[in-house]
Amino acid sequence: TQLLEQSPQFLSIQEGENLTVYCNSSSVFSSLQWYRQEPGEGPVLLVTVVTGGEVKKLKRLTFQFGDARKDSSLHITAAQPGDTGLYLCAGNYNTDKLIFGTGTRLQVFP
Amino acid sequence: KAGVTQTPRYLIKTRGQQVTLSCSPISGHRSVSWYQQTPGQGLQFLFEYFSETQRNKGNFPGRFSGRQFSNSRSEMNVSTLELGDSALYLCASCPAGNTGELFFGEGSRLTVL
């Protein structure tokens, strides 16, 4: 059973545009992670958020954890071709294992 | 230090065969998790091993099995392969529990014909 839904599923934008990716669940998570996966590679961790309402910034990427710890968002400002990849959220809940979201495939064209 | 190493990177099998995939975690990492990634289902958790013991298991049939050795290296086996087993199999290691940062290998891409 997939507990984490991500939207949109696909996103194609031009360089310089802004975008937001969403990760939603009906369950409360104790923490949530965002990963990026590039073709031919495994996912790489971008950030971990733990506290409801928490906001973290990583250069042009802004991550937010919902107040109720059931949702999260990733906002990219002035996207670049190097941001292209599959973005995955992953939640940790009480079974001591990470559940991954459905993924958002981002393509940024120069 | 060296990252997570998975072998083989690519393999082709036919229905009914079995396959064994190998994963060498980052030195010092004791937890190894396996995931199946397909376009339709995304990343699905298979199982996690810690100190040679299976600690968590996902919702996969018994054809999927794994083990971990004393040096933390892990193998997973899929028996009686089906077409639907075609996927990228990812191994991830973590220093302790698998809810911290996961370090993934590049994966083993299995094609079942």
Side-chain angles (χ1 to χ4, degrees):
Chain A
T1 302
Q2 188 61 266
L3 297 177
L4 282 179
E5 294 291 334
Q6 286 185 239
S7 61
Q9 190 175 358
F10 300 98
L11 197 52
S12 293
I13 61 172
Q14 292 295 128
E15 181 176 3
E17 293 184 26
N18 301 331
L19 67 116
T20 301
V21 175
Y22 299 92
C23 174
N24 294 289
S25 171
S26 58
S27 303
V28 175
F29 290 96
S30 56
S31 67
L32 191 135
Q33 299 174 359
W34 283 93
Y35 288 79
R36 179 171 68 207
Q37 183 178 18
E38 299 184 22
E41 299 182 9
V44 175
L45 180 70
L46 296 173
V47 77
T48 300
V49 286
V50 179
T51 305
E54 182 178 3
V55 177
K56 281 192 174 179
K57 292 192 175 184
L58 184 66
K59 296 183 180 178
R60 294 176 294 99
L61 278 59
T62 302
F63 304 85
Q64 183 161 8
F65 202 12
D67 291 339
R69 291 186 287 124
K70 290 184 178 182
D71 57 270
S72 181
S73 64
L74 157 59
H75 182 79
I76 301 179
T77 303
Q80 299 177 1
D83 296 327
T84 293
L86 178 67
Y87 288 81
L88 296 159
C89 62
N92 165 27
Y93 69 121
N94 61 4
T95 60
D96 199 28
K97 62 184 179 185
L98 278 178
I99 300 298
F100 280 81
T102 48
T104 294
R105 192 166 296 280
L106 171 66
Q107 178 77 53
V108 182
F109 293 97
Chain B
K1 54 185 175 182
V4 177
T5 304
Q6 291 188 246
T7 57
R9 289 291 313 278
Y10 304 92
L11 65 167
I12 299 173
K13 294 284 186 178
T14 56
R15 280 180 297 175
Q17 287 187 310
Q18 70 147 12
V19 66
T20 298
L21 308 177
S22 179
C23 172
S24 293
I26 291 174
S27 178
H29 287 192
R30 297 168 63 188
S31 168
V32 173
S33 299
W34 288 90
Y35 289 84
Q36 181 196 65
Q37 187 174 33
T38 59
Q41 297 297 314
L43 229 66
Q44 301 284 311
F45 174 76
L46 281 157
F47 26 66
E48 183 223 354
Y49 286 87
F50 183 84
S51 293
E52 301 180 66
T53 300
Q54 187 181 88
R55 193 160 64 172
N56 280 300
K57 189 177 188 302
N59 298 320
F60 278 81
R63 300 184 297 107
F64 292 81
S65 63
R67 59 179 175 168
Q68 186 180 33
F69 302 95
S70 58
N71 62 357
S72 292
R73 190 178 69 86
S74 178
E75 289 181 348
M76 67 162 283
N77 183 276
V78 187
S79 62
T80 320
L81 284 166
E82 301 176 359
L83 295 179
D85 297 333
S86 294
L88 181 66
Y89 289 88
L90 289 162
C91 166
S93 76
C94 186
N98 76 335
T99 56
E101 176 179 2
L102 294 181
F103 295 82
F104 283 88
E106 293 178 316
S108 292
R109 183 166 294 282
L110 170 65
T111 301
V112 182
L113 302 176

